[in-house]
Amino acid sequence: MPKKVSKYVPYLLIAPALIYLAVLIGYPAIEGIKLVFYKDGGFSFATIHRAVNNYYFWPALKNTLKLVVVILPTQLVLALVFALAMNKVFKGRNVALTLLLIPMTLSDIAAGLIWYSMLSPSGFINKLLLTSGLIQTPIQLFGYQFHTREFLTLVFVELWRSTVTIFVIVLAGLQMISQEYIEAAEVFGAGYWTRLRHILIPLLKPSIQTALLLRTIYAFSIFGIVMVLVGRDIPVLAGEAYYQVTQIKDYGVGAFYALLIAVMSLTIGVIYLRLTKAEYLEVKR
Amino acid sequence: MNERTMYELRKLGFYTLIFIVVVWMGLPLVVSTLYAFGTPDDYYDPNKVIPLHFTFETVKMLLFTLGGWEALKNSVIVATLAIIISFILGLPAGYSIARFIFPGKDSIKLGMLALKIFPVHIMAVPLVILYIRLHLLDTRLGVALAHSAGALPLVVLITASIFAGTSAELEEAGMVFGLTRFQSFVKITLPLSLPGLAAAAMFTFVGSWNEVFAASVLTFKHRTLPALMLTLMETAPDYYKFAAAFIMAFPAMVYVAVARKYLISMWGIAIK
């Protein structure tokens, strides 16, 4: 093959994908910005004014951030414990692993509905507690008056659904760590906690960061699970964007909420990438 | 306490932990599946923890009266289109990244990674305006286009790593014996990487099957399954919710059962 041709071949092969992404992501992004800032052919804050003064906006922003802050650290610790446990060889490991993987492939809608069957007033857990005599009346978890309970239920179900994503990536990272490091540490008398703190966790850092990055960004657009379990009792940004577009038909306000989620995600993404750049290079080389 | 009891205690603690995790993850799936086929009477009977009478009525009602079957078909069509589009565009890009060294390659890879972490489906809101103009609003193709934009970066990165895993020498040998690069790719590399590509395709399918935000915003009549269920479940009686969950979760469960090994190996985990 002549050299002149092969110089352009890689670009030609990549071009369709890049063009497609530019059209389907780049163009809507620009269109979205226009929706938010332009009105009647000129620059305007009217849409933002309308969006920010919406009764649901500040609660939605607050709830979204609160959910991210509560869910992520908990999830990370849980995923680490799961991964460390599942990294061992034991009887029934394959069955356990398969079960653990299922939530990863479930939609948030399905996950919400599944847990509704567990937690609703006539659900499995209430009936179990009732028939065993531990409680006299069903525990109510859903309803506007139980705001804190609804929030905690949401956290619990989201932990069930998405901890697995971090778990899988961390487990993959764990399996790449050479057993020799750990054996060497054992020879020198390092106990489990010392090994964990000074060997496993530092070596796992790249996997943990990748997983955290993915999860943080998806956590900002949390939507289906909230809609199914608590509706607008606990408004979130993505839910409000959905509501504005489908019910109110105010595309400008909807686009503003969407853009806000995108900007927050990208900011976090950039911060993560900056912080982790050195480690990524180390791992790759 | 001597060492032996310590060891036994630790082992007990370990299995307890695993047991709790497995029950936490697995029990909701079992219980909601049972309730999906339980009768409403059993569900509202406070003394029946587990339903004892089973019926297909609720699932049938959801599928054939409330539009579940149409939505399911829409979901399959959208997900299939998303696979086709993202693979037609993603395969050449992945191949290019795997086989060639060229300036700008790293930036392209990083760009793909950045798009992967960007919530693409949120772009659906401005897409509505674009789709109205292009007459794509409320079409399966419209949703599929949005889904494939979300899947494409991942398809490029995954196919790149799959192609990088097949030997370039075999392909070159084919070229020495008179095949063009394209023929060599089709006859040698493609068959070798088929299992990995199939796993990546299934992952794309599940991603589209589960996605609800873009699907809900971009359609009102031609809804995919999650989008339909989202609107139906606002008003449906409780026992419908479990049937809906079952219909949505069933393919995912089958997928895990069938593709578990690939699913895990995609993340680099070796199962022994």
Side-chain angles (χ1 to χ4, degrees), chain B residues 101-114:
Chain B
I101 296 167
F102 54 92
K105 178 168 147 168
D106 282 341
S107 336
I108 288 172
K109 269 173 84 176
L110 197 71
M112 292 289 168
L113 204 69

Side-chain angles (χ1 to χ4, degrees), chain B residues 13-78:
Chain B
F14 177 74
Y15 275 103
T16 314
L17 174 76
I18 297 287
F19 180 75
I20 291 171
V21 171
V22 165
V23 167
W24 185 40
M25 289 290 164
L27 189 68
L29 297 167
V30 177
V31 170
S32 68
T33 304
L34 285 174
Y35 273 124
F37 297 100
T39 57
D41 289 346
D42 276 9
Y43 172 69
Y44 287 116
D45 185 343
N47 294 317
K48 285 188 177 127
V49 180
I50 292 286
L52 298 170
H53 304 92
F54 295 98
T55 168
F56 281 105
E57 279 312 308
T58 322
V59 172
K60 259 198 210 153
M61 185 80 178
L62 266 177
L63 282 179
F64 301 112
T65 312
L66 295 169
W69 184 249
E70 271 311 302
L72 195 141
K73 276 200 301 205
N74 286 339
S75 272
V76 171
I77 291 170
V78 165

Side-chain angles (χ1 to χ4, degrees), chain A residues 49-108:
Chain A
H49 197 256
R50 208 164 60 242
V52 173
N53 282 321
N54 188 300
Y55 175 75
Y56 283 98
F57 171 69
W58 291 108
L61 180 63
K62 220 176 76 190
N63 286 328
T64 307
L65 292 173
K66 237 165 81 182
L67 281 170
V68 173
V69 169
V70 174
I71 289 171
L72 274 174
T74 325
Q75 203 157 49
L76 179 63
V77 174
L78 274 176
L80 259 176
V81 173
F82 290 7
L84 286 169
M86 295 303 285
N87 196 33
K88 292 191 175 136
V89 178
F90 62 90
K91 247 191 220 163
R93 178 171 179 266
N94 279 352
V95 177
L97 205 52
T98 308
L99 270 176
L100 279 182
L101 285 173
I102 291 177
M104 197 174 145
T105 55
L106 287 184
S107 69
D108 41 2

